[in-house]
Amino acid sequence: DAGITQSPRYKITETGRQVTLMCHQTWSHSYMFWYRQDLGHGLRLIYYSAAADITDKGEVPDGYVVSRSKTENFPLTLESATRSQTSVYFCASSETTHTEAFFGQGTRLTVV
Amino acid sequence: DAKTTQPPSMDCAEGRAANLPCNHSTISGNEYVYWYRQIHSQGPQYIIHGLKNNETNEMASLIITEDRKSSTLILPHATLRDTAVYYCIVRGNYGQNFVFGPGTRLSVLP
């Protein structure tokens, strides 16, 4: 099916573990984004990518790593999860800088 | 990208038009106005966007003032399913990302 999908939808992990959240889009959009959403903070940008092999930091990148070896995939890795990274994570993609972005359904991550 | 200001909350009666305002007084010539909404904790849903002309699609209409310093999103016949947080975002041609503010929490009342 065409669209943007995130996996897993729900994840519980322990402090200190590495965890990777996956994002896949089928439109071959150039731009992809990772946001996190916490109560009281709204949506905040973690990382974005303008094309394969081009990534850049957003507002809250610390503790996260991204890669984009293929246009359609943009995984987000928490190298050593902390409780402060408990959040809902949203991935999005857009074709250009002046077209709309489409968001995935989110991954709810709990770090215990 | 220019900053936007929206009222924190609004109510609307079911079946009536919902008019959601947004102020973006520092908008520059190449910046677009986008509207998204988020229902519960689902992913933000794209509604509409425009540069300077009014826009309409199957979901809503976007009215942008002539000086482009403010805009209004119109949901012509609000239903209970339109209850959500609505975000107004300004993004330039070279803007790399969408910056979300707190938005307007619209409650559609029966």
Side-chain angles (χ1 to χ4, degrees):
Chain A
D1 290 337
I4 184 164
T5 54
Q6 294 182 234
S7 61
R9 292 292 312 278
Y10 302 91
K11 176 75 176 179
I12 300 174
T13 192
E14 294 179 339
T15 300
R17 289 196 180 266
Q18 182 180 84
V19 60
T20 296
L21 310 184
M22 304 301 294
C23 179
H24 175 79
Q25 51 106 353
T26 61
W27 297 297
S28 298
H29 284 171
S30 294
Y31 290 86
M32 295 189 75
F33 313 86
W34 274 107
Y35 289 85
R36 61 178 287 176
Q37 187 170 34
D38 309 295
L39 283 174
H41 286 282
L43 282 139
R44 294 182 293 174
L45 182 71
I46 305 171
Y47 269 96
Y48 64 95
S49 169
D53 297 322
I54 300 175
T55 62
D56 210 344
K57 296 177 180 179
E59 181 185 354
V60 288
D62 293 343
Y64 302 95
V65 174
V66 294
S67 62
R68 188 136 178 240
S69 58
K70 292 184 178 181
T71 299
E72 61 267 30
N73 297 323
F74 191 38
L76 176 74
T77 297
L78 288 67
E79 293 191 300
S80 178
T82 65
R83 287 186 182 149
S84 65
Q85 294 177 308
T86 293
S87 187
V88 181
Y89 292 84
F90 290 103
C91 176
S93 73
S94 70
E95 187 175 9
T96 70
T97 55
H98 56 273
T99 54
E100 65 271 31
F102 297 96
F103 284 77
Q105 286 305 299
T107 294
R108 184 174 294 275
L109 176 69
T110 302
V111 183
V112 298
Chain B
D1 296 332
K3 183 182 167 93
T4 62
T5 304
Q6 300 177 252
S9 64
M10 293 181 64
D11 292 337
C12 176
E14 187 178 18
R16 304 295 294 270
N19 296 276
L20 292 90
C22 180
N23 181 284
H24 32 79
S25 58
T26 61
I27 194 170
S28 59
N30 66 347
E31 290 182 318
Y32 286 73
V33 179
Y34 289 79
W35 282 85
Y36 281 80
R37 72 181 183 184
Q38 188 173 26
I39 299 172
H40 294 300
S41 54
Q42 296 177 20
Q45 178 188 22
Y46 166 78
I47 302 173
I48 199 167
H49 76 288
L51 182 62
K52 54 184 176 181
N53 297 320
N54 298 337
E55 302 286 345
T56 296
N57 63 20
E58 65 278 4
M59 287 183 67
S61 295
L62 173 60
I63 308 298
I64 302 174
T65 58
E66 191 169 343
D67 63 8
R68 303 208 324 121
K69 293 184 177 182
S70 65
S71 61
T72 301
L73 177 75
I74 301 172
L75 307 178
H77 305 286
T79 71
L80 299 179
R81 287 178 293 181
D82 292 321
T83 292
V85 178
Y86 287 77
Y87 299 98
C88 170
I89 299 164
V90 171
R91 185 193 191 205
N93 268 348
Y94 301 101
Q96 299 287 39
N97 65 82
F98 294 83
V99 178
F100 286 81
T104 295
R105 183 172 297 276
L106 175 69
S107 298
V108 180
L109 307 174

